[in-house]
Amino acid sequence: MSRLLAAWRHAPTHRRVWALAAPMILSNLSVPLVALVDSAVIGHLPHAHQLASVAVGGSLYTLLIWVMGFLRMGTTGFAAQATGRQDGGELRQILLQGLLLALGFALLLSMVALPLKGVALQLMQPSAELDDLTREYFHTRLFGLPAALASYALIGWFLGAQNARAPLAMLLTTNLLNVALDLWFVLGLEWGVAGAARASVIAEWSGALLGLALTRGALRRHPGQLNTQALRRWQNWRPLMAVNRDIFIRSLALQLVFFLVTVQGTRLGDATVAANALLLNGLLLTAHALDGLAHALSGHAIGAGNRDELRRTLTVAGGWSLIASLGFAGFFLLGGHLFIQLQTDIPAVRELALAYMPYLAALPLIAVWSYLLDGLFIGATRAREMRNGMLLALAIALPLGWLLQGLGNHGLWLAFLAFMLSRGICLGLIARGLQRRQAWFKLAGAH
């Protein structure tokens, strides 16, 4: 306990954590702002199926994008370690590898997206009106896919290079432009659901192009030469690809959970899937804020081989994450009705969302530990352990969700809470095992 208190009282660590975390929290909060504005704008149109179409179409697009989350997470860990070693040449290699992977996967996903959409909608069994609007929204969003994946790679690289201002500029540009265009296209030009999708595509390309422009200044601060010959050798891709493979499996499992929440909600009716979407916007708000603190963790300390800095950073980031999660829980418990009223004025959707608000209030306190431990594993490029923790949590939650089907939407939310709790416990046990073996400084390429 005395060591924890000493670490918490270390003022330079607080300053270092917040120097990286504060811009990331601000920029991360702008991400769920897009979903909130989409809901607020579309949610004030007259029909529940219009709001539901954005929820369903958005969940399909998010499934494609977020399973590619390894483009950000894997790049962050390797770039952080290269920065800790002051290796500018490797930083350049990691940047180019990330962008090449983003382009390749964008082409691949474009080919599988349409068949995936057809299968998904058959599983959901939506109403005819919801089906038509969902297809229109999803098809339009696909035009932004290459930009979204390139932004993942760029943001991950900037974070690893200890540059939080560039991701802040990228995400604020993307999301504030999306907000402005949303209001103009949906309310001003009356393009409806299609207008919301077009706004997102334009905003995604704007953010990606800005990120590419900002790499020039960032590279000047880390001098070095790109070894083009190294890019042609498989052994220089193997560590990144191994980490990316495991993070891909982990992300796919996580998105499967969110997808199943949407599928089951759709089967319970348009109003239910719309209400669940509003509540999940609250989860996104919490997760992105706490991720900003998690991304302040460990990669630089591990790259530099500094155990004391790693311990202090974990203590400080963990303490602030707990304080923030208490704040979010209190906000949803006391001000949840305002949060829902902001997003829609459809009475049936409001009533359902408020009935399930206690589940949202409990989520920050349950999920905070998994977010924090994710940051630790990402910085250590310990993707295999992240994958195993996620699969264990999924193995616990899926049977429980099946057993609780008779409780309707209550059963769905109880299973979701159980999944988040299991995820944190599994990651904690794995982290404890690594600590006992003093394995945090054995990097991904070596195990």
Side-chain angles (χ1 to χ4, degrees):
M1 179 62 72
S2 60
R3 295 179 70 184
L4 287 176
L5 288 174
W8 176 255
R9 292 168 180 164
H10 193 254
T13 301
H14 282 271
R15 289 194 293 269
R16 186 164 52 249
V17 166
W18 280 107
L20 185 61
M24 274 311 301
I25 290 172
L26 289 173
S27 55
N28 278 1
L29 285 175
S30 69
V31 176
L33 179 63
V34 175
L36 285 170
V37 171
D38 280 349
S39 298
V41 174
I42 301 297
H44 286 85
L45 296 179
H47 303 294
H49 69 261
Q50 293 171 303
L51 177 57
S53 70
V54 173
V56 175
S59 71
L60 292 175
Y61 184 74
T62 299
L63 176 64
L64 291 177
I65 295 296
W66 280 15
V67 296
M68 296 291 112
F70 61 78
L71 290 170
R72 186 185 73 174
M73 297 181 199
T75 304
T76 296
F78 283 106
Q81 292 167 19
T83 302
R85 292 190 296 269
Q86 299 183 355
D87 190 340
E90 187 177 348
L91 266 180
R92 285 159 173 77
Q93 177 181 316
I94 293 165
L95 173 61
L96 188 54
Q97 285 175 320
L99 290 173
L100 289 173
L101 286 173
L103 177 60
F105 281 114
L107 294 174
L108 178 63
L109 285 179
S110 297
M111 291 187 286
V112 304
L114 296 181
L116 171 69
K117 172 213 64 184
V119 172
L121 289 176
Q122 284 182 354
L123 286 172
M124 293 181 185
Q125 303 170 2
S127 63
E129 296 90 347
L130 177 55
D131 185 271
D132 290 342
L133 280 179
T134 298
R135 291 174 187 273
E136 182 180 16
Y137 181 87
F138 181 70
H139 291 166
T140 304
R141 288 298 304 272
L142 287 178
F143 287 102
L145 188 60
L149 297 188
S151 292
Y152 264 15
L154 288 164
I155 288 171
W157 183 84
F158 280 124
L159 288 175
Q162 301 287 288
N163 181 345
R165 292 184 179 181
L168 175 62
M170 287 177 63
L171 289 169
L172 286 179
T173 298
T174 300
N175 297 316
L176 294 179
L177 182 60
N178 185 295
V179 170
L181 293 178
D182 237 355
L183 295 171
W184 182 27
F185 290 172
V186 176
L187 300 182
L189 299 179
E190 298 183 353
W191 287 351
V193 169
R198 292 167 189 166
S200 297
V201 171
I202 294 171
E204 283 170 333
W205 277 103
S206 300
L209 293 174
L210 175 62
L212 285 171
L214 291 175
T215 59
R216 185 180 181 88
L219 288 171
R220 279 200 299 266
R221 290 188 288 275
H222 298 280
Q225 287 291 327
L226 174 66
N227 184 355
T228 56
Q229 293 299 318
L231 291 172
R232 301 174 185 175
R233 294 193 291 269
W234 169 244
Q235 61 264 33
N236 293 311
W237 287 83
R238 185 178 297 162
L240 180 63
M241 294 301 291
V243 167
N244 285 346
R245 176 200 63 212
D246 292 330
I247 296 178
F248 169 77
I249 295 171
R250 173 258 185 201
S251 300
L252 186 62
L254 179 59
Q255 286 310 304
L256 175 63
V257 172
F258 283 99
F259 178 67
L260 289 176
V261 169
T262 303
V263 168
Q264 188 62 21
T266 305
R267 290 178 172 179
L268 294 171
D270 289 356
T272 300
V273 72
N276 285 347
L278 302 187
L279 295 172
L280 288 175
N281 284 341
L283 173 62
L284 288 176
L285 190 71
T286 305
H288 282 85
L290 296 176
D291 269 352
L293 280 162
H295 275 103
L297 284 173
S298 71
H300 187 272
I302 289 173
N306 191 329
R307 296 177 187 275
D308 290 336
E309 182 186 342
L310 175 59
R311 185 179 64 253
R312 288 193 299 266
T313 303
L314 276 169
T315 302
V316 170
W320 283 113
S321 294
L322 179 58
I323 292 169
S325 67
L326 287 167
F328 276 112
F331 168 72
F332 291 128
L333 193 61
L334 301 176
H337 62 289
L338 298 175
F339 181 72
I340 297 302
Q341 289 171 10
L342 173 68
Q343 297 182 80
T344 185
D345 56 6
I346 301 172
V349 176
R350 276 189 179 182
E351 183 178 350
L352 279 172
L354 289 173
Y356 301 111
M357 181 59 68
Y359 296 115
L360 177 58
L363 263 173
L365 298 174
I366 292 173
V368 59
W369 311 111
S370 61
Y371 302 145
L372 186 68
L373 289 166
D374 271 351
L376 176 61
F377 284 109
I378 289 167
T381 58
R382 284 280 180 177
R384 183 173 60 191
E385 286 80 1
M386 288 177 67
R387 176 202 67 193
N388 292 344
M390 183 67 72
L391 293 178
L392 283 171
L394 190 63
I396 294 169
L398 282 181
L400 184 60
W402 179 264
L403 292 172
L404 294 175
Q405 284 185 98
L407 297 178
N409 208 41
H410 285 288
L412 185 63
W413 277 99
L414 287 170
F416 187 69
L417 288 173
F419 165 73
M420 285 297 190
L421 178 62
S422 302
R423 183 179 162 198
I425 292 172
C426 292
L427 287 175
L429 292 174
I430 292 170
R432 187 174 179 83
L434 288 173
Q435 176 65 25
R436 285 176 176 170
R437 300 197 307 271
Q438 297 185 343
W440 284 116
F441 291 85
K442 297 174 185 177
L443 302 182
H447 67 255

